[in-house]
Amino acid sequence: MKPAVIFLGLFLSALHHCAAQSCVNDTFSGDKLYDSCSSLPYLNASLHWNYHPSNGTVDVAYRALQTSDGWVAWAINPNGSGMIGANAFLAFPGSNGAVTVYTTQFSSYGVQPSDVKDENLTFAVYSRESEYSDGYYTIYATLELPRNDTKQNTVWQASTTFSDGVPYGHPAGDHYLSKTSLDFLTGQLV
């Protein structure tokens, strides 16, 4: 009985390790390279990053599986663990058909389409762009980590619903679970 339990434990550990490492083979346009990555636990998404301790910034590439007529979002919430207070990057097809990326803040659950606008975040964003390729949206950004703290609460989302031309609303289920705390220095999800 003990060998079977040990084998099962090792097998599950290896399986978890392989699942957690699935982002390491991702490639990006423009030969962008990232030192760290994490396969996020929900919504077929991953986060890749380079942390720069000398100035407290991070280059990120958030990648998520989605149809070309849908949208994806990735956010840092400097003061909480969910949507309220999230400073988000949203990638979606713009009115001209090209992929666009907005930065926006969410202050309540009662978001209206007029609340989803391109605006400054509560931390500095030095660059941002997005693309759609091979069934994935990718958001690229360089940003300042709030409070120069490597541990940040992150939230991510995806949907195909729009209102007035902007992303609006998402399903329940795993969508409510798509949040974690990430240490950009160690790569540890908590």
Side-chain angles (χ1 to χ4, degrees):
M1 179 86 155
K2 282 187 179 183
V5 171
I6 292 171
F7 174 76
L8 180 60
L10 290 172
F11 175 75
L12 291 175
S13 175
L15 184 64
H16 175 72
H17 179 73
C18 289
Q21 294 299 317
S22 65
C23 61
V24 297
N25 293 322
D26 288 348
T27 57
F28 300 95
S29 65
D31 294 324
K32 293 176 181 84
L33 299 173
Y34 297 91
D35 296 331
S36 303
C37 74
S38 178
S39 294
L40 299 172
Y42 302 101
L43 307 183
N44 295 310
S46 60
L47 184 68
H48 304 256
W49 70 91
N50 292 323
Y51 170 59
H52 307 286
S54 61
N55 61 8
T57 63
V58 64
D59 305 318
V60 298
Y62 168 77
R63 175 170 282 171
L65 185 66
Q66 181 57 281
T67 59
S68 62
D69 61 345
W71 60 266
V72 302
W74 176 79
I76 286 181
N77 187 333
N79 301 309
S81 65
M83 180 180 146
I84 296 176
N87 286 244
F89 297 82
L90 290 87
F92 59 97
S95 59
N96 63 358
V99 177
T100 190
V101 61
Y102 275 14
T103 53
T104 196
Q105 298 178 46
F106 293 103
S107 58
S108 74
Y109 288 119
V111 176
Q112 298 301 311
S114 60
D115 297 328
V116 181
K117 56 189 173 283
D118 198 15
E119 62 184 335
N120 290 330
L121 301 182
T122 62
F123 48 82
V125 176
Y126 300 106
S127 67
R128 61 185 168 141
E129 62 182 285
S130 58
E131 65 185 12
Y132 185 82
S133 179
D134 297 326
Y136 288 87
Y137 274 102
T138 304
I139 299 171
Y140 301 101
T142 298
L143 56 110
E144 178 181 274
L145 290 175
R147 300 174 309 279
N148 196 23
D149 188 351
T150 61
K151 294 178 184 171
Q152 296 291 331
N153 296 316
T154 64
V155 185
W156 60 100
Q157 225 20 277
S159 185
T160 56
T161 59
F162 289 83
S163 183
D164 297 332
V166 295
Y168 182 70
H170 60 76
D174 285 350
H175 292 266
Y176 289 134
L177 302 174
S178 58
K179 59 185 178 179
T180 191
S181 182
L182 171 66
D183 189 327
F184 284 95
L185 180 62
T186 66
Q188 185 173 22
L189 294 175
V190 245

